[in-house]
Amino acid sequence: MNMLFGLRQIQVFSVSTAETNTNLTGICEAFEKEVEIQENESEERHIISDRKPVRVSSTDERAMNITEGSGSEWWTGDETAWIEIDLEGTFVVEEVKIQWWGYSKADTYRVFAIAQNGEKSLVKTEKDQTVDKAEQKNDCNQWINLAGWEEETCKVRLELSNGNKDPWNMNMLFGLRQIQVFSVSTAETNTNLTGICEAFEKEVEIQENESEERHIISDRKPVRVSSTDERAMNITEGSGSEWWTGDETAWIEIDLEGTFVVEEVKIQWWGYSKADTYRVFAIAQNGEKSLV
């Protein structure tokens, strides 16, 4: 692959006082406002699979790429494969969207809805799929759509067969970048946000009784890189998906979206592609750069 540098993640830590942690109150107020808005709406379509647990037939370490939304890939070279997403609740599914990885799509597949009691119902096959007009000429990384079903669903299971070998000699027959499961909820269900708000308020109370708390300040923060921009967010998203480059030199810059005193930085390299020499700079609000 001719990569000279690679990272799986960078974690930046800071210590905040209880005074700073009470910012959670602002988040709570935002939740309350959202509840008010949703109570005035009859229905809202939303994604119910985002970052939900995923079980797969193989390549377990890449399973969470399917629901994390970054477009990082899951793949397998097995003749048949399956994927199961736990929605962590009971829903009526309105639509499922699948983005294949490269050209390694399944020519035949079956979609099952799994109920709370474990009962499995076949709800869709490849014959039910539709492809948006913009995607019809795009065989690589193509999105497909499946209309929803009436069965109450706790888990969605996808069983794949008749795969297509990737053109990059990686011997992968099936590959996906993401699966998105959508549902429509009523305002009554959306008021569950009130419970989340109460949890935030409780957390504020706990933190006000503590003098200090060490926490990660780089989680999902914006990242700029010298090259391979499409993989930049892998560095802070926490899934362990990789960023890499074959350039002789490279740089990475994380915007903490605030001013902090950094307590510690942790770096996880990708494979053996670590930098033998590197420098870390702190950039102040005025743009001043200091070698630290």
Side-chain angles (χ1 to χ4, degrees):
M1 297 174 73
N2 298 321
M3 300 300 170
L4 290 176
F5 306 104
L7 288 93
R8 289 198 178 275
Q9 53 188 314
I10 296 176
Q11 295 178 334
V12 184
F13 294 87
S14 180
V15 171
S16 65
T17 64
E19 183 182 353
T20 356
N21 290 332
T22 54
N23 289 333
L24 289 171
T25 308
I27 301 172
C28 180
E29 289 169 357
F31 270 112
E32 288 174 336
K33 188 175 181 182
E34 183 66 17
V35 170
E36 287 177 17
I37 293 168
Q38 292 184 3
E39 282 174 344
N40 294 323
E41 296 175 352
S42 58
E43 288 189 338
E44 182 189 68
R45 181 178 187 267
H46 64 292
I47 186 167
I48 54 175
S49 55
D50 189 39
R51 304 192 181 281
K52 295 296 175 69
V54 184
R55 292 175 59 238
V56 289
S57 52
S58 63
T59 327
D60 300 57
E61 68 277 6
R62 287 183 171 268
M64 283 305 295
N65 289 347
I66 294 171
T67 59
E68 73 185 3
S70 70
S72 297
E73 60 280 333
W74 169 86
W75 53 40
T76 180
D78 295 347
E79 294 289 329
T80 60
W82 56 263
I83 298 160
E84 191 172 284
I85 301 172
D86 186 349
L87 299 177
E88 297 185 319
T90 301
F91 301 89
V92 174
V93 173
E94 188 209 26
E95 184 183 22
V96 175
K97 287 179 170 285
I98 299 170
Q99 184 185 23
W100 301 105
W101 168 71
Y103 303 91
S104 297
K105 59 185 75 172
D107 290 336
T108 55
Y109 60 84
R110 298 185 297 169
V111 180
F112 294 88
I114 302 177
Q116 196 168 21
N117 63 5
E119 186 178 342
K120 191 167 74 167
S121 305
L122 176 62
V123 289
K124 298 290 172 184
T125 71
E126 74 284 347
K127 295 176 183 177
D128 300 304
Q129 76 179 34
T130 60
V131 181
D132 293 341
K133 190 174 181 180
E135 289 288 316
Q136 288 174 2
K137 295 181 180 179
N138 179 27
D139 288 333
C140 184
N141 297 325
Q142 187 182 57
W143 281 94
I144 62 164
N145 312 312
L146 293 165
W149 50 85
E150 294 181 357
E151 289 85 346
E152 290 191 343
T153 306
C154 291
K155 296 178 182 178
V156 176
R157 182 181 174 94
L158 180 64
E159 296 186 353
L160 310 172
S161 54
N162 295 317
N164 291 273
K165 192 174 179 181
D166 72 274
W168 301 289
N169 297 318
M170 297 175 70
N171 297 318
M172 300 300 170
L173 289 175
F174 304 104
L176 287 92
R177 290 197 178 275
Q178 50 190 314
I179 296 176
Q180 296 178 338
V181 183
F182 294 88
S183 180
V184 172
S185 64
T186 63
E188 183 183 353
T189 345
N190 288 331
T191 53
N192 288 334
L193 290 170
T194 308
I196 301 172
C197 181
E198 290 169 358
F200 268 111
E201 288 174 339
K202 188 174 181 181
E203 182 66 18
V204 170
E205 286 178 21
I206 293 168
Q207 292 185 4
E208 283 174 345
N209 294 325
E210 296 175 354
S211 59
E212 288 188 338
E213 181 192 45
R214 182 178 187 267
H215 64 292
I216 186 168
I217 54 175
S218 56
D219 188 40
R220 305 190 183 283
K221 294 297 175 68
V223 184
R224 292 175 59 240
V225 289
S226 53
S227 62
T228 329
D229 300 63
E230 68 276 10
R231 289 183 170 268
M233 283 304 296
N234 289 347
I235 294 171
T236 59
E237 69 185 1
S239 69
S241 298
E242 60 283 337
W243 169 86
W244 54 40
T245 180
D247 294 347
E248 291 290 329
T249 61
W251 56 263
I252 299 161
E253 187 175 288
I254 301 171
D255 184 353
L256 300 177
E257 296 185 322
T259 302
F260 302 89
V261 175
V262 173
E263 184 201 37
E264 185 183 21
V265 176
K266 286 178 174 284
I267 301 172
Q268 183 185 20
W269 301 104
W270 169 69
Y272 301 95
S273 298
K274 59 185 75 172
D276 291 336
T277 55
Y278 59 86
R279 296 182 300 169
V280 179
F281 294 88
I283 303 176
Q285 197 167 20
N286 63 5
E288 186 178 341
K289 190 167 73 169
S290 306
L291 176 64
V292 293

